[in-house]
Amino acid sequence: MLKLVGALISFVIIIAFFILINYSNENTYFVKNNTNTKKMFTQYLDYKNSMNLKNFPLENISCFTIHSPRETIKKNEENLITPASVQKLFTVEALEKILSEKNISVNDTIKTKFYFEPQSNSLYIEGGYDPFIMNQPYIDILNTNERLVGFKHTSFESIVNQLQQKSLPQISQIVVLGNNNYMRQGWTKAETSFVGVPKAISINQGIDELPRGKLSENPTVTFTNELANALNLGNIGVTEVNPEQFAIEKKLILEIQSISYKEIISQMLIQSDNYSAEMMLDLSLNLAQEPNIDSLFKKYSINSGGVAVDGSGLSPGNKATCDNVFDSLNVLEDNLDSAPKNYLSISGVNGTLMNRYAKELKGSVIAKTGSIKNVSSLAGYFTLSGDSSTTFVALINRENPEPNELAKKQVDSLIQYLREQQINEKQITKLEETYV
């Protein structure tokens, strides 16, 4: 009897098992053949396929490095490429490290001081390297450029007026501490679009003829001559002295403070201001007591991966790798203690990206641009509203001459890829959460 009961129980369990399996198979068959579900799986595969780089015309980009939360994609990331104005990232990296070493805060300012020594009726000047002391005509030019709205500066004429108001006795000589750069000078008519280049650095002469990492003109003589003329001092003597000779009893009569280093860096990168980049490189060389940009970059472990010729990126002789530019972006984000949107141009909002990606992608691209003959570059961050950020670097060098607009469009293809990638990532995540 017990054996019979046991056999019946076993039979019931087996029947129940087959019923369960059959129900499961039927349910699986239903899910697989449900029209809406099949449609979603088809979309899922389409989105996956569209993420492929081959679907975007990126073959003309010399090198790129892309790092998103989902993946890292690279091409020729260790090749040496001319970076154009993206070179400024390395200049800022060097400056920040030197300021930190010298216990100078990025919130500090550059001070230009004027003293009067009554025994010899001498005007003493100390400071330099303020890149935004400039003549009023240049300021007027800046004020006509919509992308330079909010650009901060000090007019040379206002300094002259303040000195004249001191009612000093006739000045017999000007004494300057060191051969420093005291004001923006030497613009040519062709540079009034605000490339802001020292006069000797021009298309005609070529920047590679200049000493590496140094401005070509004697900046002190140029500044003091202009000051003497403005003060009607005639053919007055100018003396450059060392700190010991400068340390005599004298009265401070005027102090001009620049905007903070942080603001200088911001204006330099957002507006791609070549002159301030060269001034900051010159200041870095002075503070570090290094003879040239090679030794400076070596001392402070600024690794462009290639060759550094200047601080602005104007020279085609600059060479860098995409990976090293990528690393520099990360270093600056960590060391500047500020969000990239505060020191890089924002698409459709300000600086060199004011008129790029201004409609569909306004505010989505935060980056440093670069453009010289046959070179276009872009390095920074891409994000759609509410999404995580993708860090990218793209450098284009073309051997054959072609319009820079074409090179820019090739860089734009990468931005289009990043846009599609983030849109698709949202869809993929939603599909995976629901159906996978």
Side-chain angles (χ1 to χ4, degrees):
M1 185 66 180
L2 289 175
K3 289 183 179 181
L4 180 61
V5 171
L8 285 172
I9 291 173
S10 298
F11 177 76
V12 170
I13 291 174
I14 291 170
I15 293 298
F17 176 77
F18 276 105
I19 291 172
L20 181 62
I21 290 294
N22 186 56
Y23 173 80
S24 177
N25 285 338
E26 285 180 358
N27 189 54
T28 302
Y29 178 82
F30 170 78
V31 170
K32 285 183 177 180
N33 286 274
N34 181 279
T35 303
N36 290 333
T37 306
K38 285 181 69 177
K39 182 179 179 182
M40 294 299 282
F41 268 106
T42 301
Q43 288 180 2
Y44 174 78
L45 293 176
D46 287 343
Y47 285 128
K48 279 284 191 181
N49 291 334
S50 69
M51 299 281 281
N52 195 318
L53 279 171
K54 292 179 181 178
N55 294 323
F56 293 85
L58 305 182
E59 65 274 4
N60 291 320
I61 298 180
S62 304
C63 78
F64 57 76
T65 297
I66 304 169
H67 178 72
S68 71
R70 183 178 286 272
E71 61 187 347
T72 297
I73 305 172
K74 299 182 178 184
K75 172 190 173 184
N76 299 333
E77 67 277 7
E78 296 182 357
N79 286 12
L80 292 178
I81 311 293
T82 299
S85 282
V86 167
Q87 177 77 11
K88 292 181 178 71
L89 296 174
F90 299 117
T91 302
V92 172
E93 185 182 344
L95 174 65
E96 188 281 325
K97 288 184 177 180
I98 293 165
L99 292 177
S100 179
E101 180 188 74
K102 304 295 181 182
N103 294 317
I104 301 173
S105 169
V106 292
N107 294 311
D108 286 344
T109 61
I110 297 173
K111 299 175 179 63
T112 303
K113 299 179 180 180
F114 297 83
Y115 303 85
F116 186 70
E117 195 282 301
Q119 297 299 319
S120 61
N121 284 353
S122 297
L123 181 67
Y124 279 69
I125 307 175
E126 175 187 18
Y129 303 108
D130 182 345
F132 300 114
I133 294 178
M134 59 186 78
N135 287 345
Q136 189 61 44
Y138 303 146
I139 295 174
D140 294 340
I141 292 168
L142 299 184
N143 291 336
T144 64
N145 191 322
E146 65 171 347
R147 75 174 176 86
L148 299 175
V149 173
F151 196 88
K152 299 177 182 179
H153 41 65
T154 301
S155 77
F156 173 74
E157 289 77 3
S158 71
I159 296 175
V160 172
N161 288 337
Q162 291 179 72
L163 287 173
Q164 288 173 333
Q165 291 172 12
K166 302 297 178 182
S167 300
L168 300 172
Q170 181 66 28
I171 296 170
S172 62
Q173 69 168 337
I174 296 177
V175 180
V176 183
L177 176 60
N179 181 18
N180 298 342
N181 211 325
Y182 282 89
M183 70 177 286
R184 187 182 298 252
Q185 55 199 256
W187 282 8
T188 66
K189 186 176 181 181
E191 291 158 353
T192 56
S193 62
F194 190 60
V195 291
V197 188
K199 186 175 182 180
I201 303 178
S202 66
I203 295 172
N204 295 328
Q205 182 170 349
I207 193 172
D208 286 329
E209 299 172 19
L210 301 176
R212 294 175 69 178
K214 300 291 287 185
L215 297 179
S216 62
E217 297 181 354
N218 186 321
T220 302
V221 171
T222 305
F223 172 72
T224 51
N225 283 345
E226 287 201 37
L227 185 62
N229 289 334
L231 293 172
N232 297 315
L233 300 180
N235 190 18
I236 194 173
V238 176
T239 306
E240 294 176 14
V241 298
N242 60 37
E244 263 185 35
Q245 296 168 313
F246 197 82
I248 67 169
E249 189 174 343
K250 53 194 182 296
K251 181 182 178 181
L252 178 66
I253 59 172
L254 179 64
E255 180 178 286
I256 304 296
Q257 292 195 34
S258 73
I259 57 179
S260 69
Y261 284 104
K262 183 180 287 187
E263 290 176 296
I264 290 172
I265 289 169
S266 176
Q267 288 192 176
M268 178 210 306
L269 295 179
I270 290 174
Q271 311 297 353
S272 202
D273 180 12
N274 297 317
Y275 203 109
S276 61
E278 299 298 348
M279 288 272 271
M280 289 302 98
L281 175 60
D282 210 27
L283 172 62
S284 298
L285 291 168
N286 185 285
L287 290 174
Q289 292 297 292
E290 290 296 326
N292 56 52
I293 192 171
D294 289 329
S295 59
L296 179 75
F297 278 21
K298 183 176 181 181
K299 180 178 180 180
Y300 291 94
S301 303
I302 311 301
N303 184 15
S304 67
V307 179
V309 174
D310 60 34
S312 62
L314 281 173
S315 172
N318 291 304
K319 300 294 178 185
T321 72
C322 272
D323 268 2
N324 288 114
V325 174
F326 183 90
D327 291 341
S328 187
L329 282 171
N330 291 331
V331 169
L332 292 182
E333 188 173 5
D334 291 339
N335 293 355
L336 288 179
D337 192 29
S338 182
K341 67 180 180 180
N342 295 325
Y343 57 85
L344 294 176
S345 184
I346 304 173
S347 58
V349 176
N350 61 15
T352 55
L353 286 178
M354 173 174 276
N355 298 316
R356 289 179 70 179
Y357 322 118
K359 294 182 180 180
E360 289 185 346
L361 297 176
K362 182 177 181 179
S364 294
V365 182
I366 302 173
K368 179 71 202 76
T369 61
S371 180
I372 58 175
K373 187 177 180 180
N374 298 334
V375 177
S376 184
S377 54
L378 195 64
Y381 307 87
F382 179 87
T383 181
L384 292 175
S385 178
D387 292 330
S388 54
S389 178
T390 294
T391 308
F392 68 90
V393 177
L395 307 178
I396 290 182
N397 286 189
R398 307 299 296 157
E399 294 181 3
N400 299 319
E402 60 185 24
N404 269 9
E405 287 303 314
L406 179 57
K408 282 183 180 179
K409 287 180 180 179
Q410 292 165 352
V411 170
D412 292 347
S413 67
L414 179 65
I415 296 300
Q416 181 63 20
Y417 164 72
L418 295 178
R419 178 177 182 272
E420 294 298 323
Q421 182 192 49
Q422 289 204 358
I423 290 173
N424 292 343
E425 279 185 351
K426 290 171 65 176
Q427 296 290 342
I428 288 172
T429 301
K430 180 180 179 180
L431 291 166
E432 286 177 338
E433 289 174 352
T434 308
Y435 293 101
V436 178

